[in-house]
């Protein structure tokens, strides 16, 4: 293992093992306590299958690196004597596992080979975090059965909203052959419980439409084989109009028998090449992508077409709900993009086949630093749903700013979207999906600290009850060593960065004050007179979007009554979402006691100050983090500090000039 890590560091095509580095445990007593319990390894009867084989390899390599032992292995031949590491079966879900320790043994019992693999990773993570073996007893099973990463990678090697280099899968029109990096990718995914990946962009262009043809499937099968060893299923994004795009039919009408037969044939070809293929992700009738609306069909008819074709193979359809009018006129105040997903999909509840999951973005707009939770999660009790989060920091600093997203995600997961005994969003979805923040940069994410978002997504998808602070500690310990001070300092460096980012960008939930197209940097009116339905309506008197039932677009009414009431009234609407739901004068007084305009000034000064302090705060890690990581992060923090100041100045100036209200604290507002 160590050899592999060094090799991967030393070569030109170097890549980081990230949190699977397995740094040796320095504390001799702790090392001893674990070695005593792990000197032998008893595996279940029979020849291990592929997954269990991966688990055993990982354990051997990990233990040798962490505590310097190579456990002698033997296969169980009957009831196990409790000595050493005993891996055994237990009743329960295939992904579930239990880890228990005794004076000279560790029992890892799992419901299936998947569980053994996840349990193996957890055991190694426990050791790597410097946790003592005495009295340990944990039992885990995942909160959601499908835990997925969606890449937005194109066949030419570019990545839509990619901030970490080029694609890990494609280059210049070709599918890259599997190599050590793909293996490391799959291990990293498995280690955080990810069990599915879709590797191409949801915007499926002509060339990617061909991915479901035999010539491409041969290469994809090689990728699927590597993923399979780590319990990760391959999915693809498909073009709803594929039969048309490929010139094979003159229609893509979901009710046309020729189209039905076309997709059946495709499914047959795909599953012949990749027997455990996962299914399709579909972006239809969205931002110019084709869909069922062209034929006067609804999205249940569209999704069910594909669902029927893949059902015989156990395939699934992740059908995205990001459907809205992107050709709006800013003068039209009745159309509200935030309403769109609910308006299109909620009437279809109960009409989707069982193997369809509706993939819904966390908020009703598009991954802004702050949005309310999408009301659609509470509106479709008879439909399977997937929550889509964005690890790619499209609107949250593009992996040049440090922005620890688990803190943001947690606010969504914990929202009581359905009411009743446990109506939390985390308990209302059947799958967790994140848009990938990965690319072929050596550190995978561009920004070393953005690895924590990748790690954090996997951990929350597995267990949404984890606290973001604990996830940060875990990630820090696994990536950089179990030194308590270092871990605490790194975790506290990450915590609060999302709120800081929020405070120096667009205020109070209004969003969208970014440069159009690439979405980086401040531009208050960048999207104001555009066609995308993304307005803040700031004028000399006030700012914000009236989405109330009483006088606005009615969006607030899409929630269950208690939440609808909360958002409907300025008096109860949480400050951080005020401008999302209400248009208010600058003098409106927030719950915080500040006026809206003073809040805007203060938040931007404070947020920029937070960012300005980051490079200096980072210095504490000089010498304790690997040099390359230390200096690469420092560079990015310096940029963040400058860029946050730009955000502060542009936004504050915009509001100062519009409102004419001076800063109560008399600070210099200019640009
Ligand atoms: C893949 C936003 C992004 C697009 C993205 C789209 C989506 O609009 O800016 O790049 O397209 O969301 O989620 O489909």
């Amino acid at each position: 293992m160590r050899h592999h890590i060094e090799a991967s560091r030393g070569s030109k095509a170097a890549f980081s093992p990230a949190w699977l580095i397995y740094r040796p445990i320095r504390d001799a007593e702790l090392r001893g306590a674990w070695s005593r319990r792990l000197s032998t390894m008893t595996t279940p009867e029979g020849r291990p299958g592929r997954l269990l084989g991966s688990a055993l390899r990982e354990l051997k390599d990990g233990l040798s690196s962490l505590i310097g032992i190579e456990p002698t292995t033997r296969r169980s031949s009957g009831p196990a004597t409790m000595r050493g590491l005993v891996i055994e079966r237990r009743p329960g879900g295939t992904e579930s596992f239990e880890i228990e320790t005794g004076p000279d043994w560790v029992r890892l019992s799992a419901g299936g080979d998947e569980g053994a693999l996840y349990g193996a990773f957890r055991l190694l993570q426990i050791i790597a975090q410097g946790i003592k073996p005495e009295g340990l007893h944990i039992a885990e099973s995942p909160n959601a059965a499908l835990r997925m990463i969606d890449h937005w990678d194109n066949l030419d090697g570019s990545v839509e909203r990619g901030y970490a280099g080029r694609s890990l899968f494609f280059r210049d029109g070709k599918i890259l052959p599997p190599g050590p990096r793909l293996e490391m990718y799959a291990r990293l995914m498995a280690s955080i419980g990810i069990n599915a990946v879709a590797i191409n962009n949801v915007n499926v262009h002509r060339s990617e439409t061909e991915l479901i043809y035999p010539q491409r499937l041969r290469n994809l099968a090689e990728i699927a084989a590597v993923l399979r060893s780590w319990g990760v299923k391959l999915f693809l994004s498909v073009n709803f109009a594929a039969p048309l795009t490929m010139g094979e039919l003159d229609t893509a009408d979901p009710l046309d028998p020729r189209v039905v037969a076309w997709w059946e044939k495709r499914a047959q070809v795909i599953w012949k090449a990749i027997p455990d293929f996962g299914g399709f992700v579909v972006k239809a009738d969205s931002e110019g992508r084709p869909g069922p609306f062209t034929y006067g069909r609804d999205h249940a008819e569209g999704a069910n077409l594909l669902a029927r074709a893949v059902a015989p193979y156990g395939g699934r359809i992740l059908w995205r709900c990001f459907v809205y009018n992107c050709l709006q006129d800013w003068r039209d105040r009745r159309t509200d993009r935030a309403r769109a997903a609910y308006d299109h999909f909620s009437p279809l509840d109960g009409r989707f086949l069982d193997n369809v999951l509706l993939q819904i973005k966390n908020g009703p707009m598009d991954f802004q630093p702050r949005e309310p939770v999408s009301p659609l999660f509470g509106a479709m009790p008879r439909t399977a749903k997937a929550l889509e989060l964005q690890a790619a920091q499209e609107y949250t600093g593009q992996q040049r700013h440090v922005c620890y997203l688990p803190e943001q995600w947690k606010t969504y997961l914990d929202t009581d979207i359905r009411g009743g005994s446990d109506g939390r969003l985390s308990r209302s979805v059947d799958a967790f999906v994140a848009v990938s923040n990965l690319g072929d940069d050596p550190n995978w994410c561009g920004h070393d600290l953005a690895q924590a978002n990748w790690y954090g997504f996997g951990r929350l998808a597995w267990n949404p009850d984890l606290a973001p602070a604990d996830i940060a500690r875990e990630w820090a310990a696994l990536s950089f060593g179990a030194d308590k001070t270092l871990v605490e300092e790194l975790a506290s460096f990450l915590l609060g960065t999302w709120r800081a980012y929020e405070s120096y960008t667009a205020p109070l939930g209004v969003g969208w004050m970014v440069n159009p197209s690439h979405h980086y940097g401040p531009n208050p009116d960048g999207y104001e007179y555009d066609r995308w339905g993304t307005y803040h309506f700031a004028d000399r008197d006030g700012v914000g979007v009236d989405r109330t039932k009483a006088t606005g677009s009615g969006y607030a009414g899409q929630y269950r009554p208690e939440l609808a009431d909360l958002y409907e009234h300025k008096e109860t609407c949480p400050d951080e979402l005020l401008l999302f739901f209400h248009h208010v004068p600058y003098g409106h007084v927030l719950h915080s006691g500040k006026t809206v305009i003073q809040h805007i000034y203060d938040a931007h000064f404070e947020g920029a100050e937070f960012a300005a302090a980051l490079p200096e705060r980072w210095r504490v890690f000089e010498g304790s983090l690997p040099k390359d990581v230390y200096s690469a992060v420092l560079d990015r923090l310096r940029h963040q500090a400058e860029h946050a100041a730009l955000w502060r100045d542009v936004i504050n100036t915009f509001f100062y000039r519009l409102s004419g209200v001076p800063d109560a604290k008399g600070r210099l507002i200019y640009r």
Side-chain angles (χ1 to χ4, degrees):
M1 171 68 52
R2 242 178 288 161
H3 170 74
H4 173 67
I5 291 163
E6 275 152 23
S8 67
R9 284 237 158 115
S11 70
K12 193 157 175 267
F15 52 87
S16 144
W19 55 85
L20 290 183
I21 191 160
Y22 298 133
R23 290 172 195 282
I25 297 291
R26 293 224 187 87
D27 179 336
E29 199 181 317
L30 186 61
R31 226 175 33 235
W34 279 110
S35 335
R36 219 178 18 259
R37 292 167 168 88
L38 295 167
S39 53
T40 61
M41 183 150 92
T42 309
T43 64
E45 282 176 79
R47 220 171 141 251
R50 200 187 285 266
L51 281 184
L52 188 57
S54 298
L56 300 179
R57 263 201 323 279
E58 191 72 24
L59 279 169
K60 277 195 185 156
D61 290 346
L63 292 175
S64 123
S65 192
L66 282 167
I67 48 178
I69 58 159
E70 305 244 347
T72 50
T73 310
R74 65 172 196 97
R75 263 182 227 156
S76 161
S77 53
T81 8
M82 266 311 158
R83 271 213 72 237
L85 173 59
V86 178
I87 302 172
E88 58 183 29
R89 293 260 173 273
R90 84 198 240 285
T94 54
E95 295 188 310
S96 68
F97 65 83
E98 204 171 324
I99 298 173
E100 197 181 354
T101 55
D104 55 1
W105 53 266
V106 176
R107 188 207 327 252
L108 165 53
S109 45
D113 286 356
E114 290 86 351
L117 179 65
Y118 297 137
F121 276 117
R122 185 73 73 250
L123 177 59
L124 293 167
Q125 287 160 359
I126 287 170
I127 301 172
Q129 284 175 74
I131 296 170
K132 292 186 181 141
E134 286 80 18
L136 209 72
H137 189 178
I138 57 167
E140 293 192 24
S141 56
N143 169 68
L146 186 64
R147 305 169 301 277
M148 183 171 188
I149 298 271
D150 283 4
H151 295 263
W152 286 354
D153 293 14
N154 303 314
L155 207 54
D156 64 5
S158 61
V159 179
E160 183 155 346
R161 312 307 176 188
Y163 312 108
R166 307 187 72 202
S167 171
L168 290 162
F169 309 103
F170 309 117
R171 184 68 33 84
D172 304 329
K174 297 206 176 65
I175 298 170
L176 292 170
R181 183 145 202 184
L182 186 67
E183 183 86 19
M184 180 57 95
Y185 164 90
R187 281 178 57 217
L188 284 161
M189 289 295 180
S191 73
I192 50 172
I194 299 296
N195 62 4
V197 295
I199 61 170
N200 67 305
N201 191 355
V202 290
N203 291 327
V204 185
H205 315 103
R206 173 68 175 73
S207 54
E208 293 89 15
T209 305
E210 285 174 27
L211 290 175
I212 50 176
Y213 281 75
Q215 202 199 341
R216 299 297 197 180
L217 287 167
R218 270 194 290 280
N219 303 116
L220 291 172
E222 293 175 2
I223 294 182
V226 174
L227 300 179
R228 183 176 303 127
S229 298
W230 298 95
V232 180
K233 264 189 201 293
L234 178 69
F235 282 68
L236 289 174
S237 296
V238 293
N239 171 357
F240 187 78
L244 201 62
T245 307
M246 297 305 290
E248 294 184 22
L249 294 178
D250 58 7
T251 179
D253 181 352
L255 300 194
D256 187 310
R258 291 169 303 153
V259 175
V260 173
W262 191 93
W263 281 105
E264 281 171 0
K265 172 78 189 146
R266 273 306 104 214
Q268 199 186 13
V269 170
I270 295 169
W271 266 273
K272 188 163 173 241
I274 308 172
D276 62 346
F277 184 71
F280 302 146
V281 180
V282 192
K283 173 176 179 176
D285 290 316
S286 169
E287 300 185 331
R289 307 319 300 160
F293 285 165
T294 310
Y295 306 97
R297 312 299 182 196
D298 64 33
H299 277 238
E301 289 163 328
N304 290 345
L305 160 78
L306 302 178
R308 254 184 227 108
V310 305
Y313 313 97
R316 277 179 285 186
I317 303 300
L318 287 126
W319 188 269
R320 297 177 84 230
C321 297
F322 187 57
V323 177
Y324 69 98
N325 174 5
C326 67
L327 295 170
Q328 229 181 287
D329 182 331
W330 60 271
R331 282 157 288 225
D332 165 16
R333 295 239 180 170
R334 282 161 313 138
T335 314
D336 178 5
R337 170 170 166 178
R339 292 188 57 115
Y342 181 103
D343 285 346
H344 284 303
F345 286 93
S346 66
L348 305 178
D349 190 28
R351 287 200 32 224
F352 292 92
L353 293 176
D354 287 349
N355 59 336
V356 176
L357 290 117
L358 290 188
Q359 186 163 315
I360 307 168
K361 289 190 182 186
N362 56 288
M365 295 297 275
D366 192 11
F367 303 133
Q368 298 304 294
R370 175 79 72 167
E371 291 183 37
V373 66
S374 169
L376 196 52
F377 291 112
M380 302 194 72
R382 291 183 295 153
T383 306
K385 295 175 285 296
L387 162 67
E388 181 178 313
L389 299 164
Q390 196 185 41
Q393 293 173 234
E394 177 178 358
Y395 294 98
T396 49
Q398 305 200 348
Q399 285 141 247
R400 299 177 77 189
H401 293 229
V402 53
C403 182
Y404 181 58
L405 291 171
E407 288 192 294
Q408 185 212 50
W409 297 336
K410 192 71 173 164
T411 64
Y412 295 103
L413 295 172
D414 288 349
T415 305
D416 185 2
I417 190 72
R418 283 178 298 137
S421 67
D422 188 355
R424 281 176 297 169
L425 175 64
S426 61
R427 300 302 189 272
S428 311
V429 293
D430 308 275
F432 280 56
V433 180
V435 178
S436 149
N437 61 351
L438 309 180
D440 72 351
D441 275 0
N443 66 1
W444 306 88
C445 295
H447 202 309
D448 289 273
L449 299 181
Q451 284 178 8
N453 290 335
W454 177 17
Y455 181 87
F457 168 72
R459 297 295 284 126
L460 282 175
W462 180 272
N463 179 3
D465 296 337
L466 291 174
D470 291 335
I471 296 175
R473 284 188 198 101
E474 254 182 51
W475 172 80
L478 300 181
S479 307
F480 299 109
D483 178 85
K484 275 214 171 57
T485 318
L486 178 69
V487 166
E488 284 308 318
E489 279 169 351
L490 266 174
S492 79
F493 197 87
L494 289 173
L495 296 171
T497 50
W498 159 60
R499 284 210 161 72
Y501 190 85
E502 177 190 21
S503 69
Y504 59 76
T505 53
L508 299 167
V510 79
W512 295 110
M513 294 187 157
V514 289
N515 283 306
S517 162
H518 59 72
H519 299 164
Y520 196 65
N523 186 344
D525 274 343
Y527 271 114
E528 194 58 11
Y529 305 103
D530 223 322
R531 62 181 174 96
W532 297 95
T534 47
Y535 313 118
H536 52 65
F537 300 128
D539 58 20
R540 63 179 193 175
D541 301 317
V543 54
V545 190
D546 185 354
R547 293 191 159 107
T548 62
K549 283 179 287 177
T551 53
S553 74
Y555 166 80
Q558 294 184 336
Y559 293 91
R560 65 183 172 85
E562 295 80 358
L563 279 182
D565 263 7
L566 183 85
Y567 296 137
E568 176 76 13
H569 306 288
K570 295 184 194 76
E571 299 70 34
T572 50
C573 184
D575 283 352
E576 66 270 15
L577 286 170
L578 185 73
L579 302 184
F580 192 93
F581 284 100
H582 298 275
H583 186 88
V584 295
Y586 293 111
H588 175 87
V589 179
L590 297 166
H591 300 299
S592 68
K594 287 182 187 178
T595 60
V596 165
I597 190 73
Q598 194 56 42
H599 170 93
I600 293 175
Y601 296 147
D602 287 353
H604 287 78
F605 278 110
E606 284 158 20
E609 231 170 80
F610 180 99
L614 290 174
E616 203 43 50
R617 283 177 58 201
W618 187 249
R619 290 197 181 281
V620 64
F621 300 111
E622 194 166 7
S624 54
L625 290 182
K627 263 204 191 100
D628 54 338
V629 174
Y630 174 77
S631 49
V633 171
L634 185 60
D635 277 355
R636 286 185 191 234
L637 295 174
R638 287 189 182 125
H639 166 73
Q640 179 171 2
E642 271 174 34
H643 202 231
L646 178 72
W647 267 100
R648 173 199 63 204
D649 291 343
V650 172
I651 301 293
N652 279 348
T653 303
F654 173 81
F655 282 107
Y656 175 53
R657 290 184 62 176
L658 215 54
S659 70
V661 182
D663 171 30
K665 297 183 186 156
R667 290 162 292 198
L668 187 59
I669 291 177
Y670 70 98
R671 195 177 136 69

